[in-house]
Amino acid sequence: MKRRVAVGMLAALLVSWAGGQPARSQPTVQQAFQTLKQQSGMEPATAVFLLRDLSTGEILASEGGNQSMVPASTMKILATAFATSQFGFDRRWQTRLVLPEAANGGKANVVAIVGAGDPTLGSPQIEGNPSTDQLLAGMTQAIRSAGITQIERLVADISALPVEPIPWSWTYDDFGNYFGAPVSALNINDNLYKLTFRPAGVGQAAAIVGIQPNLAWLSFQNQMRTGAAGSGDNGYIFGVPGDNRRWVRGTIPAGGDFPIYGSLPDPPDALLQLLQARLAAAGVTVNRLEQQTTPVAASTVLWQQDSPRAIDIIRHVHDTSFNLYADGLLLLASQTRAGSRPVPSWSEAIDMEEEWLKSLGVDLRGFRLEDGSGLSRRNLVTPKGMTDVLHRISQQSWWTAYRNTLEVRNSQRRPNGAVRGKTGFITGVRSLSGVITCRSGRTLAFSVIVNHFDKSLGPIDAGINQWLDAVWQSY
């Protein structure tokens, strides 16, 4: 598999079986887990689980449930629950275009884009969200309507979220690609660009034929080759935040033009440069582009864009596992908890999240948290701790609505909606944590994590599904 992280639409984890109601020979929970451990590719793996009564917190069954494991994206539950606890489901974030002082004769000394940390700004992923092109058109029209024809300084105000762009423990092969996009107070277009290649003969160079948006300031050292037809996306983009040089390697399949996605080196700078180009085409000149981490003074608002509601972003995180949104929600929740005090580092943001978890009474022994998305391989959790989180948040007033944002995991042996959870995948890691309403009507929290497996996901996913069938039958 090309990607170490499943970001975008995930393949369905749970496989269907024919046969209607469970047979009398349904295996026990422990037997089904042993079957999972015997699946293809599991020889070098470690597999652990824990089951807990959701309402009482009683531990019902476990194998290795105290063991620290790399969780991958199942730990997004921590970020989204933390976010819900801090600002609820109806919160929106406003991105504003402001004029700190009146223009004089068509000239403005400063026009500022004030970010609030909206991770979805200009994203095509959430239905009804304005596109990047629509946002740029709206800002340009607002500036022209104010009679401005010249701007001395076009400023990106990133004071609302002055945090470093990526966690320190992400690796070099992560943060140039779409699943390693940086986070900012001013995000744009999912902090991504689409790079399109034209393949040649197998083994020959694949040419870059397009980039969208048009980021003319990026430079690419292209070492992409053409792979066999049907070989899929095996291309990678390398580069560090803040550096406009990118290196492209790997293969894309023979056939027609083929796109891959990379992360913006500096999202606020990209937004400024895109707006500057749009303004120039409309006859408005901009002399300087700047970013600042101190708030812009009291201003006239020329234009404003509200984000989707928090619950819509959370639902999207659970549905698609998009890393930027999970990491963005963690930082926004941390900043909300800190109040007026800036949270300038990921370590401080994580401290805020852990402080909240401890306030609920969650046992964090065996945990090590590095981000909100699960991309870092330094993240560690235990099934005991993950189910404890689910038990504790099930006591909150917002639990039912939050539970309904988790993805349904179906099987013909279980009623529709009996299992809701969040998957995780990076190379060698498969995980699933959530809740299951059993045949008796009893609801359990569960967490199952596999580390160091080899080969494909299929047999492991089938084994997890059979194990969940046994849980549903047994309790």
Side-chain angles (χ1 to χ4, degrees):
M1 284 191 160
K2 174 201 168 180
R3 294 300 186 202
R4 288 182 37 203
V5 170
V7 178
M9 291 294 180
L10 297 176
L13 168 65
L14 304 177
V15 201
S16 294
W17 281 269
Q21 294 299 314
R24 291 175 181 266
S25 60
Q26 174 77 21
T28 67
V29 169
Q30 294 289 354
Q31 288 171 338
F33 199 71
Q34 294 309 309
T35 299
L36 164 63
K37 293 171 67 174
Q38 295 164 10
Q39 296 299 316
S40 173
M42 289 286 283
E43 292 82 3
T46 300
V48 298
F49 82 89
L50 190 135
L51 289 173
R52 185 188 296 269
D53 186 285
L54 187 67
S55 60
T56 67
E58 177 190 2
I59 295 174
L60 305 175
S62 174
E63 182 167 325
N66 287 319
Q67 194 162 331
S68 292
M69 303 285 283
V70 179
S73 287
T74 194
M75 74 171 289
K76 286 183 169 73
I77 287 174
L78 305 182
T80 56
F82 179 39
T84 302
S85 75
Q86 299 306 300
F87 39 69
F89 292 131
D90 293 327
R91 176 71 178 270
R92 297 177 188 265
W93 293 271
Q94 290 77 38
T95 304
R96 295 185 172 100
L97 184 73
V98 303
L99 187 65
E101 55 188 68
N104 184 9
K107 180 179 178 179
N109 287 327
V110 176
V111 172
I113 312 171
V114 181
D118 174 10
T120 72
L121 188 68
S123 171
Q125 294 197 52
I126 297 180
E127 185 176 356
N129 208 35
S131 68
T132 296
D133 189 68
Q134 289 172 322
L135 295 180
L136 294 171
M139 286 188 277
T140 299
Q141 181 58 46
I143 290 170
R144 285 179 54 84
S145 296
I148 297 170
T149 57
Q150 184 179 352
I151 300 170
E152 179 61 28
R153 296 166 53 222
L154 183 61
V155 173
D157 177 348
I158 56 173
S159 60
L161 212 59
V163 72
E164 56 207 11
I166 61 173
W168 289 6
S169 59
W170 285 7
T171 59
Y172 184 61
D173 57 336
D174 288 333
F175 45 69
N177 292 286
Y178 68 89
F179 47 78
V183 181
S184 172
L186 268 173
N187 306 288
I188 188 65
N189 200 56
D190 291 330
N191 293 349
L192 303 179
Y193 59 89
K194 180 170 74 172
L195 198 62
T196 301
F197 292 86
R198 183 157 296 159
V202 174
Q204 296 180 348
I208 296 174
V209 295
I211 182 170
Q212 187 180 11
N214 182 19
L215 310 179
W217 56 94
L218 294 189
S219 65
F220 293 92
Q221 186 179 99
N222 183 19
Q223 299 176 357
M224 190 72 74
R225 315 300 289 184
T226 304
S231 58
D233 179 359
N234 292 292
Y236 288 86
I237 301 173
F238 298 90
V240 298
D243 190 334
N244 289 330
R245 297 170 298 171
R246 307 280 102 174
W247 288 262
V248 186
R249 300 174 186 171
T251 65
I252 51 97
D257 290 356
F258 193 90
I260 67 173
Y261 293 83
S263 63
L264 293 173
D266 186 339
D269 178 69
L271 178 53
L272 288 175
Q273 295 209 49
L274 289 169
L275 181 56
Q276 181 185 36
R278 183 64 66 96
L279 289 170
V284 180
T285 60
V286 176
N287 293 333
R288 282 189 290 163
L289 303 178
E290 297 179 7
Q291 297 184 44
Q292 68 179 58
T293 55
T294 55
V296 169
S299 316
T300 300
V301 177
L302 301 177
W303 171 94
Q304 176 175 306
Q305 176 61 46
D306 289 5
S307 76
R309 293 184 305 156
I311 193 171
D312 297 321
I313 302 173
I314 290 168
R315 184 179 293 109
H316 195 79
V317 169
H318 291 162
D319 183 46
T320 69
S321 206
F322 191 53
N323 287 347
L324 172 66
Y325 294 177
D327 288 321
L329 286 171
L330 168 62
L331 295 177
L332 287 166
S334 299
Q335 189 59 70
T336 300
R337 189 173 182 87
S340 59
R341 180 177 67 82
V343 180
S345 70
W346 280 88
S347 61
E348 290 188 44
I350 294 297
D351 287 346
M352 294 283 179
E353 182 181 41
E354 290 182 347
E355 178 186 280
W356 170 72
L357 288 168
K358 289 176 182 177
S359 75
L360 295 181
V362 176
D363 183 357
L364 292 180
R365 285 177 295 180
F367 274 52
R368 183 173 64 209
L369 306 182
E370 297 282 335
D371 58 26
S373 61
L375 178 57
S376 172
R377 284 186 171 271
R378 283 178 52 83
N379 287 310
L380 292 173
V381 302
T382 67
K384 180 180 180 182
M386 289 299 293
T387 57
D388 195 13
V389 170
L390 290 162
H391 161 59
R392 305 285 178 171
I393 66 175
S394 74
Q395 313 303 310
Q396 306 302 307
S397 60
W398 42 265
W399 163 250
T400 300
Y402 177 86
R403 174 191 177 277
N404 290 340
T405 68
L406 295 169
E407 272 200 291
V408 174
R409 301 293 173 180
N410 281 327
S411 161
Q412 287 187 2
R413 290 184 180 270
R414 301 188 303 271
N416 182 41
V419 173
R420 287 182 177 269
K422 179 72 195 75
T423 56
F425 170 69
I426 53 180
T427 300
V429 175
R430 184 50 136 180
S431 57
L432 176 63
S433 298
V435 292
I436 178 169
T437 302
C438 300
R439 185 178 62 166
S440 67
R442 189 179 189 182
T443 302
L444 312 182
F446 69 88
S447 181
V448 55
I449 307 176
V450 181
N451 281 188
H452 312 302
F453 73 86
D454 197 7
K455 300 183 180 176
S456 70
L457 282 172
I460 294 168
D461 286 353
I464 291 175
N465 194 57
Q466 290 175 323
W467 176 75
L468 285 169
D469 282 343
V471 172
W472 179 82
Q473 174 78 9
S474 299
Y475 291 93

